[in-house]
């Protein structure tokens, strides 16, 4: 059984499941999230089943972010948020999707990220990561050769 045999996003792309489709191009599709944080909360999904966004081919990445920008501009023009929040996870549905969420100060998502940033700045275990030697080690690890796409 392939990974995508029971994947809801693959079903949506194939037309086997319903979705509120907003926009699409050849490689990506934007749909409304059925559990929105705010009015117009969307997901931009790759049309190919790839669990993590960083494993997409370059043309798929370009498509994903081009579709995200197109819809974000529509959000700005029609919904008038302060800005459009973008993030990617994929733990619940391991098929590439990025979140596009029109946001304003003190909405639920804004409060969530404010709380997360407070947490990021306070625990001793995280503060230790700011040490110069550890920062330099991280910079060295990330500044090396680019691994191939799996
Ligand atoms: Zn899938």
């Amino acid at each position: 059984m392939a990974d995508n045999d029971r994947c809801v996003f693959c079903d949506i792309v194939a037309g086997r499941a319903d979705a509120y489709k907003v926009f699409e191009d050849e490689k990506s599709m934007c749909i409304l999230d059925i559990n929105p944080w705010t009015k117009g909360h969307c997901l931009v999904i790759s049309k190919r089943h790839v669990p993590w966004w960083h494993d997409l081919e370059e043309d798929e990445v370009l498509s994903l972010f081009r579709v995200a920008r197109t819809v974000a501009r529509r959000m700005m023009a029609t919904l008038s948020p302060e800005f459009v929040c973008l993030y990617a996870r994929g733990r619940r549905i391991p098929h590439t999707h990025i979140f596009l969420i029109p946001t304003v100060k003190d909405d639920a998502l804004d409060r969530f990220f404010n709380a997360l940033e407070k947490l990021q700045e306070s625990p001793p275990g995280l503060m230790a990561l700011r040490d110069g030697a550890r920062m330099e080690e991280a910079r060295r690890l990330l500044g090396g050769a680019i691994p191939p796409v799996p």
Side-chain angles (χ1 to χ4, degrees):
M1 178 186 284
D3 280 356
N4 58 359
D5 282 356
R6 304 187 71 94
C7 172
V8 65
F9 290 158
C10 284
D11 284 347
I12 289 170
V13 168
R16 293 187 300 265
D18 291 333
Y20 294 96
K21 191 193 307 182
V22 171
F23 185 72
E24 68 180 321
D25 71 6
E26 186 188 343
K27 307 237 178 234
S28 306
M29 179 185 290
C30 181
I31 58 175
L32 291 177
D33 192 312
I34 58 170
N35 296 303
W37 279 105
T38 63
K39 182 179 179 182
H41 171 176
C42 286
L43 303 173
V44 184
I45 64 180
S46 57
K47 288 193 174 176
R48 188 167 66 94
H49 183 87
V50 176
W52 307 111
W53 72 271
H54 37 80
D55 289 336
L56 292 171
E57 297 292 340
E58 187 163 323
D59 59 343
E60 293 170 315
V61 173
L62 292 174
S63 161
L64 196 76
F65 282 85
R66 189 168 42 238
V67 168
R69 183 181 63 179
T70 297
V71 176
R73 286 180 173 172
R74 289 179 176 175
M75 289 172 170
M76 293 302 295
T78 60
L79 300 172
S80 302
E82 185 180 354
F83 63 94
V84 177
C85 180
L86 180 157
Y87 65 94
R89 274 181 44 94
R91 191 173 298 289
R92 289 203 307 175
I93 301 177
H95 175 136
T96 294
H97 58 291
I98 55 179
F99 296 75
L100 280 186
I101 308 171
T103 188
V104 296
K105 187 171 175 52
D106 294 327
D107 67 18
L109 192 70
D110 195 48
R111 292 195 311 271
F112 170 76
F113 277 106
N114 287 340
L116 197 63
E117 285 164 3
K118 279 197 181 86
L119 177 66
Q120 179 184 5
E121 294 161 4
S122 51
L126 295 182
M127 288 178 69
L129 293 172
R130 299 184 206 168
D131 171 74
R134 294 178 85 173
M135 293 292 281
E136 183 55 36
E137 179 190 11
R139 189 211 56 77
R140 184 179 49 75
L141 289 170
L142 298 177
I146 301 169
V149 173

